[in-house]
């Protein structure tokens, strides 16, 4: 079993839809949770960063962490065609311990106009 | 600007040749990371520098791979005697060393080994 599981999709939604992306994990030591967006042939860019459990909101994006269920989510409201990309979750157990980032496979999202 | 810069963006080479990639991190960032990413996979950690010191190497980094960061600024990743299995995107990322965990990635160097 992989430490981080993420459905690779692809996920296709109409413009304006609410998108829900999820990852599950097995290592209870993970405390730092990140969502990255990656456009085709580009490097990943950080979207959301969350410590421990709870919600974090930034514009149209909301990240949720449920440590009791070992489950994290990213919600995108009012999705736009420009949101079409691969979304990767990543997590680690220690502050600044990024060399130990464990990544999901990424979910491919297409938002259709 | 000041994002992470990687060169070349794409390299096509024949099996057995040597290739070198360069990464220029964000100037005030003292930590620099190399990752490898293949299609449909998340990035895999290769190695990590703090200033000029290489602090960790993954088991993925065979003897054919070597990375340097001679003055604590830019870094190079060299692959000797390339194999077809080395074909991947090589990503560089940098971090200032805060506790926020915000890795900033470059656009990657794509390697194709024929």
């Amino acid at each position: 079993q992989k430490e981080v599981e993420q459905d690779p999709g692809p996920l296709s939604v109409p413009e304006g839809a609410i998108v829900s992306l999820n990852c599950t994990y097995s290592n209870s030591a993970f405390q730092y949770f990140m969502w990255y967006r990656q456009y085709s042939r580009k490097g990943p860019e950080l979207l959301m960063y969350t410590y421990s459990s709870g919600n974090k909101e930034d514009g149209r994006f909301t990240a949720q962490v449920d440590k009791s269920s070992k489950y994290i989510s990213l919600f995108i409201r009012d999705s736009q065609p420009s949101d079409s990309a691969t979304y990767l979750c990543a997590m680690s157990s220690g502050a600044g311990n990024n060399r130990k980032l464990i990544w999901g496979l990424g979910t491919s999202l297409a938002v259709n106009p | 600007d000041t994002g992470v810069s990687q060169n070349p963006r794409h390299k096509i080479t024949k099996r057995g040749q040597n290739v070198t990639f360069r990464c220029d991190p964000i100037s005030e960032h003292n930590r620099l990371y190399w990752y490898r990413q293949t299609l449909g996979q998340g990035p895999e950690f290769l190695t990590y520098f703090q200033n000029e010191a290489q602090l960790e190497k993954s088991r993925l980094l065979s003897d054919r791979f070597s990375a340097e960061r001679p003055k604590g600024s830019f870094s190079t990743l060299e692959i000797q005697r390339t194999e077809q299995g080395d074909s991947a995107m090589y990503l560089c990322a940098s971090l200032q060393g805060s506790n926020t965990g915000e890795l900033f990635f470059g656009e990657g160097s794509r390697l194709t080994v024929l």
Side-chain angles (χ1 to χ4, degrees):
Chain A
Q1 181 190 8
K2 291 192 172 191
E3 278 191 283
V4 177
E5 299 278 0
Q6 183 177 10
D7 186 339
L11 185 60
S12 181
V13 301
E15 184 174 355
I18 296 175
V19 177
S20 173
L21 303 166
N22 311 293
C23 289
T24 59
Y25 62 95
S26 57
N27 188 345
S28 57
F30 288 147
Q31 299 184 78
Y32 299 86
F33 303 92
M34 286 143 271
W35 285 95
Y36 281 82
R37 177 175 62 195
Q38 186 172 27
Y39 292 112
S40 180
R41 299 184 181 276
K42 301 284 189 180
E45 57 177 320
L46 182 68
L47 275 180
M48 300 289 281
Y49 176 90
T50 311
Y51 170 71
S52 194
S53 285
N55 293 358
K56 185 172 183 178
E57 187 173 324
D58 184 1
R60 296 184 296 111
F61 298 90
T62 300
Q64 289 185 349
V65 175
D66 182 348
K67 290 190 71 180
S68 62
S69 302
K70 297 190 180 65
Y71 187 87
I72 69 171
S73 301
L74 177 71
F75 297 96
I76 307 174
R77 290 183 299 280
D78 187 26
S79 56
Q80 302 295 309
S82 59
D83 295 327
S84 298
T86 296
Y87 290 80
L88 295 136
C89 63
M91 48 198 80
S92 75
S93 57
N97 200 12
N98 288 285
R99 63 189 184 276
K100 299 298 187 187
L101 271 183
I102 308 299
W103 296 76
L105 294 179
T107 299
S108 176
L109 171 66
V111 180
N112 305 305
Chain B
D1 153 320
T2 45
V4 178
S5 175
Q6 291 190 246
N7 288 288
R9 294 291 313 283
H10 191 191
K11 177 74 175 178
I12 302 173
T13 191
K14 293 182 179 178
R15 190 176 53 184
Q17 299 295 304
N18 300 342
V19 297
T20 299
F21 299 115
R22 175 178 168 129
C23 172
D24 288 89
I26 294 171
S27 59
E28 63 269 24
H29 286 186
N30 61 359
R31 298 188 190 182
L32 185 149
Y33 301 79
W34 286 99
Y35 282 83
R36 179 172 67 188
Q37 187 178 26
T38 53
L39 195 63
Q41 303 290 321
E44 296 173 297
F45 168 76
L46 292 179
T47 189
Y48 150 64
F49 291 86
Q50 181 156 321
N51 299 313
E52 65 276 10
Q54 188 173 19
L55 297 187
E56 187 170 342
K57 291 172 60 171
S58 163
R59 288 173 296 174
L60 292 174
L61 218 62
S62 75
D63 291 345
R64 297 184 296 105
F65 288 72
S66 61
E68 294 183 342
R69 194 182 183 198
K71 295 183 180 179
S73 56
F74 73 92
S75 175
T76 57
L77 176 69
E78 181 183 17
I79 309 173
Q80 296 181 325
R81 304 182 303 281
T82 51
E83 301 173 357
Q84 287 185 324
D86 297 332
S87 296
M89 175 80 89
Y90 290 85
L91 294 164
C92 177
S94 71
L95 173 71
Q96 191 170 7
S98 69
N99 288 330
T100 63
E102 296 186 29
L103 271 178
F104 292 87
F105 282 86
E107 295 200 336
S109 292
R110 181 176 299 278
L111 174 64
T112 302
V113 182
L114 302 176

